[in-house]
Amino acid sequence: IDMVFTDINLCGSTTGWDVGECFRMERPDTLLLYMSGNCVDLERCVPGSVFVAKPLQHSDILNACQRLRGK
């Protein structure tokens, strides 16, 4: 897995924040891209991740991926 792309608001008790933290514990180099259409606490993002607000455009996702990859 090179990148995890998750919404903050998931069904059930697990959140996108939980997903990001779990992946980083097991795979510290995993790139993380969070998204949400709601107000969020950006301080919850793990270091080196990117947040994109909904509604999304294809270019928003592409730009975020390029930022994560350092391009």
Side-chain angles (χ1 to χ4, degrees):
I1 298 171
D2 295 319
M3 180 183 294
V4 174
F5 185 19
T6 183
D7 197 307
I8 299 303
N9 301 307
L10 303 174
C11 295
S13 61
T14 301
T15 68
W17 303 125
D18 299 328
V19 171
E21 290 168 3
C22 182
F23 264 91
R24 279 294 175 85
M25 286 186 341
E26 295 296 320
R27 296 174 176 225
D29 295 330
T30 302
L31 302 175
L32 288 160
L33 177 56
Y34 297 103
M35 68 174 173
S36 181
N38 300 318
C39 293
V40 297
D41 179 5
L42 295 179
E43 292 183 15
R44 297 266 335 253
C45 291
V46 297
S49 64
V50 173
F51 175 83
V52 180
K54 289 181 185 177
L56 301 171
Q57 300 293 321
H58 290 100
S59 60
D60 297 330
I61 298 168
L62 178 61
N63 290 336
C65 290
Q66 289 173 336
R67 287 191 350 233
L68 281 171
R69 294 202 177 268
K71 296 180 179 180

